[in-house]
Amino acid sequence: MRMALQTFAIRGCSTRTLPAGMSVFCSSSLLSSSSSPLMIRSVSSLLPMRKMSSSSTATEAEEQPKVTLLSRNQNVHSNMQLSKSWRNKPLFRRQGDVRFRTGLEAANLLVEEAKRRDSHETQFIDSVTSTMNCLSPIFERNPRYAFVAKQLMEPERFLQFRVPWLDDTGVIRMNRGYRIQYNSALGPYQGSLHFGSHINSGSIKSLGFDTVFSNGLTGYSIGASVGGSDINPFDKSEAEIQRFCQSYMTELVKYVGPDVDLPTMGMGVGQKELGYMYGQYKRINIKSSSGGNPFLSSSAPNASGVGVVHFANEMLKDKGDSLKGKRCLVIGAGKVARSVASKLLEFGAIPLTFSDASGHVYEPDGFDEAKLNTIDKIKEERGALLGRYIIASTTAMFNDPEQLLDIPCDLCFPCAAMNSITKEAAIQLADNGCKGIIEGGYSTVTNEARKVVKKRGLMYGPHTLTMTGCAVHHVLGPHASDEQFAKEIARIYKDTKNTAQEFHARGDLYTGATISGFLRVANAMLSHGAV
């Protein structure tokens, strides 16, 4: 049976032919709310999703056409068919039907529902609150998306288990292990693992919720998951960490695997920890690779940090500026912080500081490559503190000034623990002349600090956007060049910027990243039904 064809053209794209009835991929079609399910197009069929296999090479990624979420020939003032039937439906049906009239009212109802269910998980509530405030314009245009957001707030699967292990003295120790497989609408689960005493069910749920939008933003066919444990990896011996990782993977192996769920590096989890887990995984499972690539392999441990700096460079280029000569505060001393500093040097910037539990080191003239190598050697030893760096440098200052944020800078790269940049810290940075904060860690800037950054006019790179480097590298493959990596970063940044402008939030990359990621995931969920 022949299908009638219609021809259409989008500015900047070649003329194409599509089956009649197929909607053009633009903001109008994304927000269309026709009662027919065929008019709700799945993002997986509209976006050039990349296959999660070893055949995904950098060359193939370059050859695939880049289709953005929003078309250039239509904008927020385009006529949109709002579905009155969805606005008249109750969003909740607990003690009587609860309806909403505006997008903001829907966002508030969703936040109240999250508080009712998980009032004890403050970090998750904060994530939901900031996210729903960003999505209220979507709910205003198309009420149906509020019902998708309600569904999205609940993870598909949340695993919590005990992790017993023996310490060096032969005593049985016990920790909690987590893995939250939040959403698989776009593809197999993928997300970071975090070890630290601050890890709990609330922080894992918050990180998993944010990862949905972060991974969706990339445009790749990957879902969202996060895991970890409340163990402190920095005061343990190497043998203890190995035994712990093996015990952790013994339970986790039931739920992860190639093309199922791919854990990646995160806070307190580096190449060594992933290596121990992979060793235990392949002892238990016959299939330990996909397409020739070993499961849990990490060929580019610096991808996250390099991605952060590339995003900072794109943000400055957009303002007619560059990283060259910029004095940068780097908060943290982990693998991401050190890779951020190394990449900053390549762009001609001047990394000034590192910090850890012992305090901070400050080089008034900046760290050069030789000094960075010294920091690397110190931090490669598990549990080593930055104070040892003073012995190797005659110019470094340790905990001087007393407060790290008292050091004048142009840019700040927080690569430390969650919520390390508070409202007071943001005010202090702005008062000292800082022009921008680019997150190099997960949720390092609090909601209150984000408001201060916006009010004071500081440039802000949210972790939803900046921490996508690991996902980008995994899709491009191990042989991708830095130029190809930078090109993908530029594409993601441009999509985020255009989306923010489309929804009357020009320059607000947090809103743009949240809306872009949500629309991709939500449209896929609409085609899947009530699952």
mmCIF file with all atom_site columns, all heavy atoms in Angstrom, residues 159-164 177-179 244-256 280 284:
data_model
loop_
_atom_site.group_PDB
_atom_site.id
_atom_site.type_symbol
_atom_site.label_atom_id
_atom_site.label_alt_id
_atom_site.label_comp_id
_atom_site.label_asym_id
_atom_site.label_entity_id
_atom_site.label_seq_id
_atom_site.pdbx_PDB_ins_code
_atom_site.Cartn_x
_atom_site.Cartn_y
_atom_site.Cartn_z
_atom_site.occupancy
_atom_site.B_iso_or_equiv
_atom_site.pdbx_formal_charge
_atom_site.auth_seq_id
_atom_site.auth_comp_id
_atom_site.auth_asym_id
_atom_site.auth_atom_id
_atom_site.pdbx_PDB_model_num
ATOM 1   N N   . LEU A 1 159 ? 16.867 0.380   44.296 1.00 0.00 ? 159 LEU A N   1
ATOM 2   C CA  . LEU A 1 159 ? 17.463 -0.755  44.991 1.00 0.00 ? 159 LEU A CA  1
ATOM 3   C C   . LEU A 1 159 ? 18.284 -0.278  46.188 1.00 0.00 ? 159 LEU A C   1
ATOM 4   O O   . LEU A 1 159 ? 19.104 0.635   46.063 1.00 0.00 ? 159 LEU A O   1
ATOM 5   C CB  . LEU A 1 159 ? 18.372 -1.544  44.043 1.00 0.00 ? 159 LEU A CB  1
ATOM 6   C CG  . LEU A 1 159 ? 17.772 -1.926  42.686 1.00 0.00 ? 159 LEU A CG  1
ATOM 7   C CD1 . LEU A 1 159 ? 18.846 -2.458  41.763 1.00 0.00 ? 159 LEU A CD1 1
ATOM 8   C CD2 . LEU A 1 159 ? 16.670 -2.945  42.872 1.00 0.00 ? 159 LEU A CD2 1
ATOM 9   N N   . GLN A 1 160 ? 18.053 -0.896  47.328 1.00 0.00 ? 160 GLN A N   1
ATOM 10  C CA  . GLN A 1 160 ? 18.872 -0.641  48.510 1.00 0.00 ? 160 GLN A CA  1
ATOM 11  C C   . GLN A 1 160 ? 19.231 -1.989  49.115 1.00 0.00 ? 160 GLN A C   1
ATOM 12  O O   . GLN A 1 160 ? 18.370 -2.849  49.292 1.00 0.00 ? 160 GLN A O   1
ATOM 13  C CB  . GLN A 1 160 ? 18.125 0.212   49.527 1.00 0.00 ? 160 GLN A CB  1
ATOM 14  C CG  . GLN A 1 160 ? 18.925 0.464   50.803 1.00 0.00 ? 160 GLN A CG  1
ATOM 15  C CD  . GLN A 1 160 ? 18.193 1.373   51.775 1.00 0.00 ? 160 GLN A CD  1
ATOM 16  O OE1 . GLN A 1 160 ? 17.621 2.383   51.386 1.00 0.00 ? 160 GLN A OE1 1
ATOM 17  N NE2 . GLN A 1 160 ? 18.201 0.999   53.054 1.00 0.00 ? 160 GLN A NE2 1
ATOM 18  N N   . PHE A 1 161 ? 20.509 -2.175  49.434 1.00 0.00 ? 161 PHE A N   1
ATOM 19  C CA  . PHE A 1 161 ? 20.955 -3.473  49.929 1.00 0.00 ? 161 PHE A CA  1
ATOM 20  C C   . PHE A 1 161 ? 22.146 -3.293  50.864 1.00 0.00 ? 161 PHE A C   1
ATOM 21  O O   . PHE A 1 161 ? 22.811 -2.255  50.861 1.00 0.00 ? 161 PHE A O   1
ATOM 22  C CB  . PHE A 1 161 ? 21.337 -4.391  48.752 1.00 0.00 ? 161 PHE A CB  1
ATOM 23  C CG  . PHE A 1 161 ? 22.246 -3.745  47.731 1.00 0.00 ? 161 PHE A CG  1
ATOM 24  C CD1 . PHE A 1 161 ? 23.623 -3.850  47.840 1.00 0.00 ? 161 PHE A CD1 1
ATOM 25  C CD2 . PHE A 1 161 ? 21.718 -3.026  46.665 1.00 0.00 ? 161 PHE A CD2 1
ATOM 26  C CE1 . PHE A 1 161 ? 24.471 -3.251  46.915 1.00 0.00 ? 161 PHE A CE1 1
ATOM 27  C CE2 . PHE A 1 161 ? 22.554 -2.423  45.724 1.00 0.00 ? 161 PHE A CE2 1
ATOM 28  C CZ  . PHE A 1 161 ? 23.925 -2.538  45.845 1.00 0.00 ? 161 PHE A CZ  1
ATOM 29  N N   . ARG A 1 162 ? 22.405 -4.299  51.659 1.00 0.00 ? 162 ARG A N   1
ATOM 30  C CA  . ARG A 1 162 ? 23.546 -4.232  52.566 1.00 0.00 ? 162 ARG A CA  1
ATOM 31  C C   . ARG A 1 162 ? 24.800 -4.720  51.848 1.00 0.00 ? 162 ARG A C   1
ATOM 32  O O   . ARG A 1 162 ? 24.754 -5.597  50.992 1.00 0.00 ? 162 ARG A O   1
ATOM 33  C CB  . ARG A 1 162 ? 23.296 -5.063  53.818 1.00 0.00 ? 162 ARG A CB  1
ATOM 34  C CG  . ARG A 1 162 ? 23.230 -6.568  53.584 1.00 0.00 ? 162 ARG A CG  1
ATOM 35  C CD  . ARG A 1 162 ? 22.908 -7.305  54.867 1.00 0.00 ? 162 ARG A CD  1
ATOM 36  N NE  . ARG A 1 162 ? 22.895 -8.749  54.678 1.00 0.00 ? 162 ARG A NE  1
ATOM 37  C CZ  . ARG A 1 162 ? 22.481 -9.602  55.596 1.00 0.00 ? 162 ARG A CZ  1
ATOM 38  N NH1 . ARG A 1 162 ? 22.043 -9.146  56.757 1.00 0.00 ? 162 ARG A NH1 1
ATOM 39  N NH2 . ARG A 1 162 ? 22.503 -10.899 55.351 1.00 0.00 ? 162 ARG A NH2 1
ATOM 40  N N   . VAL A 1 163 ? 25.926 -4.126  52.230 1.00 0.00 ? 163 VAL A N   1
ATOM 41  C CA  . VAL A 1 163 ? 27.216 -4.497  51.633 1.00 0.00 ? 163 VAL A CA  1
ATOM 42  C C   . VAL A 1 163 ? 28.157 -4.899  52.770 1.00 0.00 ? 163 VAL A C   1
ATOM 43  O O   . VAL A 1 163 ? 28.820 -4.058  53.381 1.00 0.00 ? 163 VAL A O   1
ATOM 44  C CB  . VAL A 1 163 ? 27.823 -3.336  50.829 1.00 0.00 ? 163 VAL A CB  1
ATOM 45  C CG1 . VAL A 1 163 ? 29.078 -3.803  50.104 1.00 0.00 ? 163 VAL A CG1 1
ATOM 46  C CG2 . VAL A 1 163 ? 26.804 -2.776  49.842 1.00 0.00 ? 163 VAL A CG2 1
ATOM 47  N N   . PRO A 1 164 ? 28.244 -6.192  53.084 1.00 0.00 ? 164 PRO A N   1
ATOM 48  C CA  . PRO A 1 164 ? 29.174 -6.640  54.130 1.00 0.00 ? 164 PRO A CA  1
ATOM 49  C C   . PRO A 1 164 ? 30.578 -6.842  53.564 1.00 0.00 ? 164 PRO A C   1
ATOM 50  O O   . PRO A 1 164 ? 30.738 -7.304  52.432 1.00 0.00 ? 164 PRO A O   1
ATOM 51  C CB  . PRO A 1 164 ? 28.562 -7.964  54.579 1.00 0.00 ? 164 PRO A CB  1
ATOM 52  C CG  . PRO A 1 164 ? 27.874 -8.488  53.354 1.00 0.00 ? 164 PRO A CG  1
ATOM 53  C CD  . PRO A 1 164 ? 27.418 -7.286  52.558 1.00 0.00 ? 164 PRO A CD  1
ATOM 54  N N   . GLY A 1 177 ? 24.280 -0.084  50.228 1.00 0.00 ? 177 GLY A N   1
ATOM 55  C CA  . GLY A 1 177 ? 24.494 0.111   48.799 1.00 0.00 ? 177 GLY A CA  1
ATOM 56  C C   . GLY A 1 177 ? 23.200 0.545   48.138 1.00 0.00 ? 177 GLY A C   1
ATOM 57  O O   . GLY A 1 177 ? 22.098 0.167   48.567 1.00 0.00 ? 177 GLY A O   1
ATOM 58  N N   . TYR A 1 178 ? 23.329 1.359   47.080 1.00 0.00 ? 178 TYR A N   1
ATOM 59  C CA  . TYR A 1 178 ? 22.157 1.887   46.377 1.00 0.00 ? 178 TYR A CA  1
ATOM 60  C C   . TYR A 1 178 ? 22.358 1.786   44.868 1.00 0.00 ? 178 TYR A C   1
ATOM 61  O O   . TYR A 1 178 ? 23.477 1.840   44.370 1.00 0.00 ? 178 TYR A O   1
ATOM 62  C CB  . TYR A 1 178 ? 21.921 3.369   46.717 1.00 0.00 ? 178 TYR A CB  1
ATOM 63  C CG  . TYR A 1 178 ? 21.775 3.696   48.180 1.00 0.00 ? 178 TYR A CG  1
ATOM 64  C CD1 . TYR A 1 178 ? 22.874 4.118   48.935 1.00 0.00 ? 178 TYR A CD1 1
ATOM 65  C CD2 . TYR A 1 178 ? 20.541 3.612   48.812 1.00 0.00 ? 178 TYR A CD2 1
ATOM 66  C CE1 . TYR A 1 178 ? 22.742 4.443   50.277 1.00 0.00 ? 178 TYR A CE1 1
ATOM 67  C CE2 . TYR A 1 178 ? 20.399 3.930   50.159 1.00 0.00 ? 178 TYR A CE2 1
ATOM 68  C CZ  . TYR A 1 178 ? 21.499 4.347   50.881 1.00 0.00 ? 178 TYR A CZ  1
ATOM 69  O OH  . TYR A 1 178 ? 21.378 4.666   52.205 1.00 0.00 ? 178 TYR A OH  1
ATOM 70  N N   . ARG A 1 179 ? 21.259 1.643   44.163 1.00 0.00 ? 179 ARG A N   1
ATOM 71  C CA  . ARG A 1 179 ? 21.219 1.853   42.713 1.00 0.00 ? 179 ARG A CA  1
ATOM 72  C C   . ARG A 1 179 ? 19.787 2.221   42.352 1.00 0.00 ? 179 ARG A C   1
ATOM 73  O O   . ARG A 1 179 ? 18.861 1.430   42.580 1.00 0.00 ? 179 ARG A O   1
ATOM 74  C CB  . ARG A 1 179 ? 21.644 0.611   41.931 1.00 0.00 ? 179 ARG A CB  1
ATOM 75  C CG  . ARG A 1 179 ? 21.798 0.853   40.411 1.00 0.00 ? 179 ARG A CG  1
ATOM 76  C CD  . ARG A 1 179 ? 22.931 1.797   40.094 1.00 0.00 ? 179 ARG A CD  1
ATOM 77  N NE  . ARG A 1 179 ? 23.140 1.988   38.667 1.00 0.00 ? 179 ARG A NE  1
ATOM 78  C CZ  . ARG A 1 179 ? 24.033 2.837   38.156 1.00 0.00 ? 179 ARG A CZ  1
ATOM 79  N NH1 . ARG A 1 179 ? 24.808 3.549   38.971 1.00 0.00 ? 179 ARG A NH1 1
ATOM 80  N NH2 . ARG A 1 179 ? 24.175 2.965   36.857 1.00 0.00 ? 179 ARG A NH2 1
ATOM 81  N N   . PHE A 1 244 ? 35.480 -4.290  49.485 1.00 0.00 ? 244 PHE A N   1
ATOM 82  C CA  . PHE A 1 244 ? 34.173 -3.631  49.502 1.00 0.00 ? 244 PHE A CA  1
ATOM 83  C C   . PHE A 1 244 ? 33.557 -3.608  48.094 1.00 0.00 ? 244 PHE A C   1
ATOM 84  O O   . PHE A 1 244 ? 32.368 -3.914  47.925 1.00 0.00 ? 244 PHE A O   1
ATOM 85  C CB  . PHE A 1 244 ? 34.294 -2.196  50.027 1.00 0.00 ? 244 PHE A CB  1
ATOM 86  C CG  . PHE A 1 244 ? 33.010 -1.419  49.878 1.00 0.00 ? 244 PHE A CG  1
ATOM 87  C CD1 . PHE A 1 244 ? 32.012 -1.544  50.820 1.00 0.00 ? 244 PHE A CD1 1
ATOM 88  C CD2 . PHE A 1 244 ? 32.800 -0.596  48.776 1.00 0.00 ? 244 PHE A CD2 1
ATOM 89  C CE1 . PHE A 1 244 ? 30.807 -0.852  50.672 1.00 0.00 ? 244 PHE A CE1 1
ATOM 90  C CE2 . PHE A 1 244 ? 31.604 0.085   48.618 1.00 0.00 ? 244 PHE A CE2 1
ATOM 91  C CZ  . PHE A 1 244 ? 30.602 -0.037  49.576 1.00 0.00 ? 244 PHE A CZ  1
ATOM 92  N N   . CYS A 1 245 ? 34.345 -3.221  47.104 1.00 0.00 ? 245 CYS A N   1
ATOM 93  C CA  . CYS A 1 245 ? 33.834 -3.144  45.731 1.00 0.00 ? 245 CYS A CA  1
ATOM 94  C C   . CYS A 1 245 ? 33.360 -4.506  45.238 1.00 0.00 ? 245 CYS A C   1
ATOM 95  O O   . CYS A 1 245 ? 32.349 -4.618  44.533 1.00 0.00 ? 245 CYS A O   1
ATOM 96  C CB  . CYS A 1 245 ? 34.909 -2.589  44.791 1.00 0.00 ? 245 CYS A CB  1
ATOM 97  S SG  . CYS A 1 245 ? 35.272 -0.836  45.033 1.00 0.00 ? 245 CYS A SG  1
ATOM 98  N N   . GLN A 1 246 ? 34.085 -5.555  45.596 1.00 0.00 ? 246 GLN A N   1
ATOM 99  C CA  . GLN A 1 246 ? 33.687 -6.898  45.189 1.00 0.00 ? 246 GLN A CA  1
ATOM 100 C C   . GLN A 1 246 ? 32.363 -7.294  45.848 1.00 0.00 ? 246 GLN A C   1
ATOM 101 O O   . GLN A 1 246 ? 31.489 -7.888  45.200 1.00 0.00 ? 246 GLN A O   1
ATOM 102 C CB  . GLN A 1 246 ? 34.789 -7.895  45.552 1.00 0.00 ? 246 GLN A CB  1
ATOM 103 C CG  . GLN A 1 246 ? 36.035 -7.759  44.687 1.00 0.00 ? 246 GLN A CG  1
ATOM 104 C CD  . GLN A 1 246 ? 37.190 -8.608  45.183 1.00 0.00 ? 246 GLN A CD  1
ATOM 105 O OE1 . GLN A 1 246 ? 37.186 -9.079  46.326 1.00 0.00 ? 246 GLN A OE1 1
ATOM 106 N NE2 . GLN A 1 246 ? 38.187 -8.811  44.334 1.00 0.00 ? 246 GLN A NE2 1
ATOM 107 N N   . SER A 1 247 ? 32.181 -6.941  47.117 1.00 0.00 ? 247 SER A N   1
ATOM 108 C CA  . SER A 1 247 ? 30.935 -7.247  47.803 1.00 0.00 ? 247 SER A CA  1
ATOM 109 C C   . SER A 1 247 ? 29.787 -6.429  47.219 1.00 0.00 ? 247 SER A C   1
ATOM 110 O O   . SER A 1 247 ? 28.668 -6.940  47.029 1.00 0.00 ? 247 SER A O   1
ATOM 111 C CB  . SER A 1 247 ? 31.074 -6.965  49.302 1.00 0.00 ? 247 SER A CB  1
ATOM 112 O OG  . SER A 1 247 ? 29.870 -7.241  49.988 1.00 0.00 ? 247 SER A OG  1
ATOM 113 N N   . TYR A 1 248 ? 30.061 -5.164  46.917 1.00 0.00 ? 248 TYR A N   1
ATOM 114 C CA  . TYR A 1 248 ? 29.044 -4.282  46.332 1.00 0.00 ? 248 TYR A CA  1
ATOM 115 C C   . TYR A 1 248 ? 28.567 -4.824  44.985 1.00 0.00 ? 248 TYR A C   1
ATOM 116 O O   . TYR A 1 248 ? 27.366 -4.902  44.712 1.00 0.00 ? 248 TYR A O   1
ATOM 117 C CB  . TYR A 1 248 ? 29.626 -2.878  46.182 1.00 0.00 ? 248 TYR A CB  1
ATOM 118 C CG  . TYR A 1 248 ? 28.698 -1.862  45.545 1.00 0.00 ? 248 TYR A CG  1
ATOM 119 C CD1 . TYR A 1 248 ? 27.708 -1.235  46.296 1.00 0.00 ? 248 TYR A CD1 1
ATOM 120 C CD2 . TYR A 1 248 ? 28.823 -1.526  44.201 1.00 0.00 ? 248 TYR A CD2 1
ATOM 121 C CE1 . TYR A 1 248 ? 26.864 -0.302  45.722 1.00 0.00 ? 248 TYR A CE1 1
ATOM 122 C CE2 . TYR A 1 248 ? 27.980 -0.595  43.623 1.00 0.00 ? 248 TYR A CE2 1
ATOM 123 C CZ  . TYR A 1 248 ? 27.003 0.017   44.386 1.00 0.00 ? 248 TYR A CZ  1
ATOM 124 O OH  . TYR A 1 248 ? 26.162 0.936   43.812 1.00 0.00 ? 248 TYR A OH  1
ATOM 125 N N   . MET A 1 249 ? 29.504 -5.231  44.139 1.00 0.00 ? 249 MET A N   1
ATOM 126 C CA  . MET A 1 249 ? 29.145 -5.734  42.816 1.00 0.00 ? 249 MET A CA  1
ATOM 127 C C   . MET A 1 249 ? 28.469 -7.101  42.882 1.00 0.00 ? 249 MET A C   1
ATOM 128 O O   . MET A 1 249 ? 27.652 -7.433  42.018 1.00 0.00 ? 249 MET A O   1
ATOM 129 C CB  . MET A 1 249 ? 30.398 -5.801  41.929 1.00 0.00 ? 249 MET A CB  1
ATOM 130 C CG  . MET A 1 249 ? 30.141 -6.303  40.512 1.00 0.00 ? 249 MET A CG  1
ATOM 131 S SD  . MET A 1 249 ? 28.794 -5.458  39.647 1.00 0.00 ? 249 MET A SD  1
ATOM 132 C CE  . MET A 1 249 ? 29.523 -3.848  39.365 1.00 0.00 ? 249 MET A CE  1
ATOM 133 N N   . THR A 1 250 ? 28.766 -7.894  43.887 1.00 0.00 ? 250 THR A N   1
ATOM 134 C CA  . THR A 1 250 ? 28.129 -9.215  44.022 1.00 0.00 ? 250 THR A CA  1
ATOM 135 C C   . THR A 1 250 ? 26.610 -9.087  44.091 1.00 0.00 ? 250 THR A C   1
ATOM 136 O O   . THR A 1 250 ? 25.877 -9.919  43.556 1.00 0.00 ? 250 THR A O   1
ATOM 137 C CB  . THR A 1 250 ? 28.655 -9.937  45.274 1.00 0.00 ? 250 THR A CB  1
ATOM 138 O OG1 . THR A 1 250 ? 30.068 -10.117 45.152 1.00 0.00 ? 250 THR A OG1 1
ATOM 139 C CG2 . THR A 1 250 ? 27.998 -11.294 45.446 1.00 0.00 ? 250 THR A CG2 1
ATOM 140 N N   . GLU A 1 251 ? 26.132 -8.037  44.733 1.00 0.00 ? 251 GLU A N   1
ATOM 141 C CA  . GLU A 1 251 ? 24.683 -7.807  44.783 1.00 0.00 ? 251 GLU A CA  1
ATOM 142 C C   . GLU A 1 251 ? 24.201 -7.028  43.559 1.00 0.00 ? 251 GLU A C   1
ATOM 143 O O   . GLU A 1 251 ? 23.153 -7.325  42.988 1.00 0.00 ? 251 GLU A O   1
ATOM 144 C CB  . GLU A 1 251 ? 24.333 -7.033  46.059 1.00 0.00 ? 251 GLU A CB  1
ATOM 145 C CG  . GLU A 1 251 ? 22.855 -6.698  46.203 1.00 0.00 ? 251 GLU A CG  1
ATOM 146 C CD  . GLU A 1 251 ? 21.977 -7.934  46.304 1.00 0.00 ? 251 GLU A CD  1
ATOM 147 O OE1 . GLU A 1 251 ? 22.480 -8.988  46.743 1.00 0.00 ? 251 GLU A OE1 1
ATOM 148 O OE2 . GLU A 1 251 ? 20.774 -7.848  45.956 1.00 0.00 ? 251 GLU A OE2 1
ATOM 149 N N   . LEU A 1 252 ? 24.987 -6.035  43.139 1.00 0.00 ? 252 LEU A N   1
ATOM 150 C CA  . LEU A 1 252 ? 24.555 -5.172  42.034 1.00 0.00 ? 252 LEU A CA  1
ATOM 151 C C   . LEU A 1 252 ? 24.517 -5.910  40.695 1.00 0.00 ? 252 LEU A C   1
ATOM 152 O O   . LEU A 1 252 ? 23.786 -5.521  39.784 1.00 0.00 ? 252 LEU A O   1
ATOM 153 C CB  . LEU A 1 252 ? 25.496 -3.962  41.933 1.00 0.00 ? 252 LEU A CB  1
ATOM 154 C CG  . LEU A 1 252 ? 25.040 -2.800  41.040 1.00 0.00 ? 252 LEU A CG  1
ATOM 155 C CD1 . LEU A 1 252 ? 23.786 -2.149  41.619 1.00 0.00 ? 252 LEU A CD1 1
ATOM 156 C CD2 . LEU A 1 252 ? 26.155 -1.766  40.900 1.00 0.00 ? 252 LEU A CD2 1
ATOM 157 N N   . VAL A 1 253 ? 25.284 -6.979  40.582 1.00 0.00 ? 253 VAL A N   1
ATOM 158 C CA  . VAL A 1 253 ? 25.400 -7.705  39.318 1.00 0.00 ? 253 VAL A CA  1
ATOM 159 C C   . VAL A 1 253 ? 24.053 -8.219  38.814 1.00 0.00 ? 253 VAL A C   1
ATOM 160 O O   . VAL A 1 253 ? 23.870 -8.445  37.609 1.00 0.00 ? 253 VAL A O   1
ATOM 161 C CB  . VAL A 1 253 ? 26.406 -8.874  39.478 1.00 0.00 ? 253 VAL A CB  1
ATOM 162 C CG1 . VAL A 1 253 ? 25.810 -9.966  40.346 1.00 0.00 ? 253 VAL A CG1 1
ATOM 163 C CG2 . VAL A 1 253 ? 26.808 -9.441  38.125 1.00 0.00 ? 253 VAL A CG2 1
ATOM 164 N N   . LYS A 1 254 ? 23.101 -8.367  39.710 1.00 0.00 ? 254 LYS A N   1
ATOM 165 C CA  . LYS A 1 254 ? 21.775 -8.860  39.312 1.00 0.00 ? 254 LYS A CA  1
ATOM 166 C C   . LYS A 1 254 ? 21.008 -7.846  38.484 1.00 0.00 ? 254 LYS A C   1
ATOM 167 O O   . LYS A 1 254 ? 20.049 -8.202  37.789 1.00 0.00 ? 254 LYS A O   1
ATOM 168 C CB  . LYS A 1 254 ? 20.955 -9.210  40.558 1.00 0.00 ? 254 LYS A CB  1
ATOM 169 C CG  . LYS A 1 254 ? 21.625 -10.181 41.510 1.00 0.00 ? 254 LYS A CG  1
ATOM 170 C CD  . LYS A 1 254 ? 20.852 -10.281 42.815 1.00 0.00 ? 254 LYS A CD  1
ATOM 171 C CE  . LYS A 1 254 ? 21.596 -11.124 43.848 1.00 0.00 ? 254 LYS A CE  1
ATOM 172 N NZ  . LYS A 1 254 ? 20.880 -11.130 45.157 1.00 0.00 ? 254 LYS A NZ  1
ATOM 173 N N   . TYR A 1 255 ? 21.419 -6.581  38.548 1.00 0.00 ? 255 TYR A N   1
ATOM 174 C CA  . TYR A 1 255 ? 20.612 -5.518  37.949 1.00 0.00 ? 255 TYR A CA  1
ATOM 175 C C   . TYR A 1 255 ? 21.345 -4.693  36.898 1.00 0.00 ? 255 TYR A C   1
ATOM 176 O O   . TYR A 1 255 ? 20.735 -3.827  36.263 1.00 0.00 ? 255 TYR A O   1
ATOM 177 C CB  . TYR A 1 255 ? 20.109 -4.571  39.058 1.00 0.00 ? 255 TYR A CB  1
ATOM 178 C CG  . TYR A 1 255 ? 19.458 -5.299  40.199 1.00 0.00 ? 255 TYR A CG  1
ATOM 179 C CD1 . TYR A 1 255 ? 20.160 -5.553  41.387 1.00 0.00 ? 255 TYR A CD1 1
ATOM 180 C CD2 . TYR A 1 255 ? 18.152 -5.756  40.104 1.00 0.00 ? 255 TYR A CD2 1
ATOM 181 C CE1 . TYR A 1 255 ? 19.571 -6.225  42.445 1.00 0.00 ? 255 TYR A CE1 1
ATOM 182 C CE2 . TYR A 1 255 ? 17.554 -6.439  41.159 1.00 0.00 ? 255 TYR A CE2 1
ATOM 183 C CZ  . TYR A 1 255 ? 18.269 -6.664  42.323 1.00 0.00 ? 255 TYR A CZ  1
ATOM 184 O OH  . TYR A 1 255 ? 17.681 -7.340  43.364 1.00 0.00 ? 255 TYR A OH  1
ATOM 185 N N   . VAL A 1 256 ? 22.644 -4.913  36.718 1.00 0.00 ? 256 VAL A N   1
ATOM 186 C CA  . VAL A 1 256 ? 23.407 -4.132  35.745 1.00 0.00 ? 256 VAL A CA  1
ATOM 187 C C   . VAL A 1 256 ? 24.051 -5.066  34.731 1.00 0.00 ? 256 VAL A C   1
ATOM 188 O O   . VAL A 1 256 ? 24.096 -6.281  34.926 1.00 0.00 ? 256 VAL A O   1
ATOM 189 C CB  . VAL A 1 256 ? 24.494 -3.271  36.436 1.00 0.00 ? 256 VAL A CB  1
ATOM 190 C CG1 . VAL A 1 256 ? 23.886 -2.329  37.452 1.00 0.00 ? 256 VAL A CG1 1
ATOM 191 C CG2 . VAL A 1 256 ? 25.549 -4.161  37.094 1.00 0.00 ? 256 VAL A CG2 1
ATOM 192 N N   . GLN A 1 280 ? 35.059 -8.373  39.614 1.00 0.00 ? 280 GLN A N   1
ATOM 193 C CA  . GLN A 1 280 ? 34.065 -9.227  40.268 1.00 0.00 ? 280 GLN A CA  1
ATOM 194 C C   . GLN A 1 280 ? 32.912 -9.544  39.313 1.00 0.00 ? 280 GLN A C   1
ATOM 195 O O   . GLN A 1 280 ? 32.393 -10.672 39.316 1.00 0.00 ? 280 GLN A O   1
ATOM 196 C CB  . GLN A 1 280 ? 33.535 -8.521  41.525 1.00 0.00 ? 280 GLN A CB  1
ATOM 197 C CG  . GLN A 1 280 ? 32.546 -9.345  42.342 1.00 0.00 ? 280 GLN A CG  1
ATOM 198 C CD  . GLN A 1 280 ? 33.207 -10.514 43.055 1.00 0.00 ? 280 GLN A CD  1
ATOM 199 O OE1 . GLN A 1 280 ? 34.405 -10.738 42.923 1.00 0.00 ? 280 GLN A OE1 1
ATOM 200 N NE2 . GLN A 1 280 ? 32.432 -11.258 43.819 1.00 0.00 ? 280 GLN A NE2 1
ATOM 201 N N   . ILE A 1 284 ? 31.405 -13.473 37.775 1.00 0.00 ? 284 ILE A N   1
ATOM 202 C CA  . ILE A 1 284 ? 30.049 -13.975 37.974 1.00 0.00 ? 284 ILE A CA  1
ATOM 203 C C   . ILE A 1 284 ? 29.311 -14.164 36.660 1.00 0.00 ? 284 ILE A C   1
ATOM 204 O O   . ILE A 1 284 ? 28.554 -15.114 36.485 1.00 0.00 ? 284 ILE A O   1
ATOM 205 C CB  . ILE A 1 284 ? 29.261 -13.010 38.890 1.00 0.00 ? 284 ILE A CB  1
ATOM 206 C CG1 . ILE A 1 284 ? 29.984 -12.866 40.238 1.00 0.00 ? 284 ILE A CG1 1
ATOM 207 C CG2 . ILE A 1 284 ? 27.832 -13.475 39.094 1.00 0.00 ? 284 ILE A CG2 1
ATOM 208 C CD1 . ILE A 1 284 ? 29.394 -11.803 41.134 1.00 0.00 ? 284 ILE A CD1 1
#
